[in-house]
Amino acid sequence: MTNAHVVGNANRFVVTLASGDSHPATIVGRDPGQDLAVIRLDGGQPRPATFADSTHVQVGDIALALGNPLGLRSSVTQGIVSAVGRSVPEGNGVTLSSVIQTSAEINPGNSGGALVDISGRVIGIPTLAALDPETGGGEAPGIGFAIDSNMVRKVAADLVTER
């Protein structure tokens, strides 16, 4: 799973695992309305992610955003869950209806990674940082959004079934 805006219109990718090994991957499907996509890794066996039930995520929970911001592989930022069930506009007419707000920094390159709880279970897919209109649309520090894990699992199941 990753964000649809990360894969764009591409159908083939190279995925680099935490070990540094790279493998080809192909698109399974994308849902631009939820900004999610499923890709299939050809070769390589990453450790499977464990998804938490996002209905149990609460304000005040610790959250860790994993990704590759600014090309820095396997980076982690930490924060707390500030809100659950938010609706936020993403642009291009897309409004995400079920997101987790976190103070964990969502930097360019975190999109499509994982937002995990303190036990390492995926609670969401980091998608965007809030933009501050008072600073000309620059990113607002400490306000990031992730698509909740229950929506991620639902969309993934739908995309795999459609194939």
Side-chain angles (χ1 to χ4, degrees), residues 56-124:
H56 297 295
V57 175
Q58 297 180 7
V59 172
D61 287 352
I62 293 174
L64 305 168
L66 312 173
N68 301 311
L70 308 173
L72 301 169
R73 194 175 76 216
S74 301
S75 293
V76 179
T77 59
Q78 63 125 27
I80 62 166
V81 172
S82 306
V84 294
R86 286 234 196 261
S87 292
V88 294
E90 189 180 45
N92 298 326
V94 173
T95 296
L96 301 173
S97 61
S98 182
V99 298
I100 297 168
Q101 180 182 330
T102 179
S103 63
E105 296 286 338
I106 308 295
N107 299 302
N110 278 109
S111 294
L115 185 70
V116 301
D117 64 16
I118 197 70
S119 297
R121 298 173 301 178
V122 177
I123 59 173

Side-chain angles (χ1 to χ4, degrees), residues 123-140:
I123 59 173
I125 302 290
T127 302
L128 71 148
L131 300 180
D132 184 353
E134 292 183 15
T135 63
E139 291 184 5

